[in-house]
Amino acid sequence: MIVPDTNIIAYALIEGPRTALARRALTLDPDWRLPALWAHEFLNILATYVRLGGAPRSQALRLWRRATALLNGCVTAVDMELALELAAEHAISAYDAQFVALAMRTGAVLITEDRRLRRTFPSLTASLESFCKGNPSS
């Protein structure tokens, strides 16, 4: 079981240099757990992608539909009080704190490229690359 942050989801669904690695993480551990927040963040990523000319709206809409079909079943309740405590105690955003709180509650590793989160929560987090290297079974 893993908690991928929203950027990992974007890497998996939007073709780019990290797509293969993100898809490998999904193959290595398809039991993804996500806070409901993932959808709002991913929607914002897609809107920005369109606005900056990365894709036409029709492609962004296809990506949105694919993401929701793939991941809506992965949404897991977050202890929001814990997220608030984590955000205040560690000076992280309440958004990031939801992913951390979910990893804590489920005992899953949070896969993130956010170096500050990895430094702050080293026993709960892993980079995409280190997660994939640590699971060579695929």
Side-chain angles (χ1 to χ4, degrees):
M1 177 185 337
I2 60 174
V3 176
D5 75 12
T6 307
N7 286 328
I8 304 304
I9 295 165
Y11 297 151
L13 296 173
I14 301 170
E15 289 295 328
R18 296 182 184 221
T19 300
L21 201 54
R23 289 179 181 166
R24 182 162 186 256
L26 178 57
T27 301
L28 288 169
D29 192 337
D31 187 5
W32 287 19
R33 303 299 169 100
L34 300 166
L37 173 67
W38 84 267
H40 304 277
E41 289 186 334
F42 188 68
L43 191 66
N44 191 57
I45 288 170
L46 291 175
T48 301
Y49 192 47
V50 169
R51 188 172 52 253
L52 296 177
R57 281 187 254 174
S58 59
Q59 182 183 354
L61 185 57
R62 283 192 301 275
L63 288 165
W64 172 251
R65 288 177 179 154
R66 184 172 172 214
T68 56
L70 181 66
L71 299 171
N72 272 343
C74 300
V75 172
T76 304
V78 173
D79 181 337
M80 293 300 203
E81 290 183 8
L82 175 58
L84 178 58
E85 290 174 19
L86 290 166
E89 181 178 340
H90 298 282
I92 61 174
S93 75
Y95 306 114
D96 287 342
Q98 289 182 51
F99 286 88
V100 174
L102 185 55
M104 286 178 143
R105 180 178 155 259
T106 60
V109 63
L110 168 57
I111 309 299
T112 181
E113 295 301 282
D114 185 319
R115 289 184 186 112
R116 184 163 180 262
L117 277 182
R118 292 197 318 258
R119 279 192 311 269
T120 304
F121 301 97
S123 64
L124 285 175
T125 59
S127 69
L128 185 56
E129 186 174 349
S130 67
F131 176 77
C132 290
K133 281 185 179 177
N135 291 285
S137 59
S138 71

